[in-house]
Amino acid sequence: MAAPWFEDEIGQSLAALLPGFRIEVAAETDSTNTELMRRARDGLDTPVLLVAERQTAGRGRLGRPWQSMQKDGEPASLTFSLGLPLAPRDWSGLSLAVGVSVAESLDAGRAIGLGLKWPNDLWVQDRKLGGILIETALLRPDVVERYLVIGIGINVGPREAAGLGTAPAWLKEWQPEATPGQVLHLIAAPLVRDVLQFEERGFVPFAARFAERDVLRGREVRLSDGTEGRCEGVGWGGELQVATADGSRMISSAEVSVRPASPIR
Ligand code: BTN
């Protein structure tokens, strides 16, 4: 039986925030991000939430694949993308703000101890619970507004660890009754509210909230470009601050990945 996706409830809660909003559930697609980016290039400019029960070519940051099946071939993740036109003055820090929004919705009472690993991984006990992939498409030449696609994958059921750089965590470890549909229902409306707040006010309202969940701050880290140093948190534009032997470095490049030099004790 298909999982209930709470389309009516989500549609009602978002209609007032996003005129013209609609939600779609696909039994299968290559990637919800790829699909919404395709539509945006073909002229889509209205808000859509596309959730897929199965992705055949899910994508992560830095060109990595996003696998969402469990051992038995059943979907283990909630996989969806939210697409909407947006025109913030400054896009810096958007992916961090999205991470803050999702973490606060999933872990409102701090029962999970959900952290954020710069720029936008959801981490628990140094294991990865979810990831965020943000892409944008130009809507029209000479128009600052872009079509934003926020792709989110959250492990709900047990994930295979094989082939993953970081060991996985999954929600059912803490919430055995969790379903992908319930998780989507929980995070969708706050996510839209937070993205609209970001459009108005940028990363500033999210900076302290990110800092509260920042799993790298105060730790020795190693960047994919070979830099090593001590992480000193994130700046007002969402850039990672690392103290290295050669001085302080601000990392804003989406092409750089970072990981703790040693596991948490
Ligand atoms: C990452 O951890 O690098 C980001 C993972 C993002 C995965 C989600 S699943 C829904 C959406 N569709 C995709 O192909 N990717 C994102």
Side-chain angles (χ1 to χ4, degrees):
M1 199 172 66
W5 288 103
F6 301 95
E7 292 104 309
D8 291 347
E9 291 87 343
I10 293 172
Q12 278 159 20
S13 60
L14 295 191
L17 293 170
L18 292 176
F21 172 80
R22 64 178 197 284
I23 176 167
E24 292 176 27
V25 178
E28 183 175 296
T29 187
D30 50 357
S31 143
T32 53
N33 262 50
T34 303
E35 173 60 19
L36 290 191
M37 288 297 285
R38 252 190 316 256
R39 293 188 199 176
R41 284 190 286 268
D42 288 346
L44 172 73
D45 61 0
T46 52
V48 179
L49 192 156
L50 175 63
V51 56
E53 289 176 342
R54 192 177 291 263
Q55 292 190 128
T56 54
R59 298 186 286 115
R61 285 181 65 240
L62 307 170
R64 296 176 183 137
W66 172 265
Q67 304 285 356
S68 40
M69 296 300 153
Q70 350 187 115
K71 246 188 204 145
D72 56 8
E74 283 304 304
S77 303
L78 164 64
T79 52
F80 74 96
S81 299
L82 171 70
L84 74 166
L86 211 73
R89 267 202 307 273
D90 183 359
W91 290 86
S92 320
L94 172 60
S95 64
L96 285 73
V98 170
V100 167
S101 178
V102 175
E104 289 180 349
S105 295
L106 285 178
D107 192 23
R110 300 264 179 179
I112 303 178
L114 195 48
L116 292 164
K117 183 195 147 254
W118 186 92
N120 48 14
D121 279 356
L122 300 162
W123 267 28
V124 192
Q125 299 160 359
D126 271 6
R127 293 183 292 142
K128 180 162 170 168
L129 182 80
I132 295 160
L133 176 66
I134 293 195
E135 299 176 291
T136 65
L138 205 58
L139 279 170
R140 283 168 289 279
D142 308 325
V143 173
V144 287
E145 191 178 50
R146 298 180 73 90
Y147 196 78
L148 165 68
V149 176
I150 299 171
I152 299 182
I154 296 170
N155 300 327
V156 178
R159 273 286 306 268
E160 274 272 41
L164 297 177
T166 306
W170 51 91
L171 261 187
K172 280 177 184 275
E173 292 180 70
W174 295 273
Q175 299 169 359
E177 307 304 324
T179 68
Q182 287 163 349
V183 176
L184 179 66
H185 189 202
L186 188 67
I187 67 181
L191 173 63
V192 168
R193 277 195 290 272
D194 284 325
V195 169
L196 296 178
Q197 188 187 32
F198 179 91
E199 182 178 39
E200 286 292 308
R201 301 183 55 201
F203 180 62
V204 171
F206 298 92
R209 289 151 66 188
F210 186 92
E212 280 175 29
R213 294 182 185 266
D214 184 348
V215 300
L216 294 181
R217 194 157 59 141
R219 290 173 74 177
E220 297 298 322
V221 294
R222 191 172 297 133
L223 309 185
S224 53
D225 65 4
T227 307
E228 290 183 353
R230 187 178 178 80
C231 178
E232 297 185 316
V234 303
W236 292 109
E239 59 286 339
L240 186 74
Q241 299 173 321
V242 181
T244 74
D246 299 326
S248 187
R249 266 192 68 183
M250 306 273 265
I251 319 287
S252 51
S253 168
E255 299 309 313
V256 174
S257 68
V258 55
R259 49 183 53 252
S262 55
I264 44 173
R265 287 178 293 278

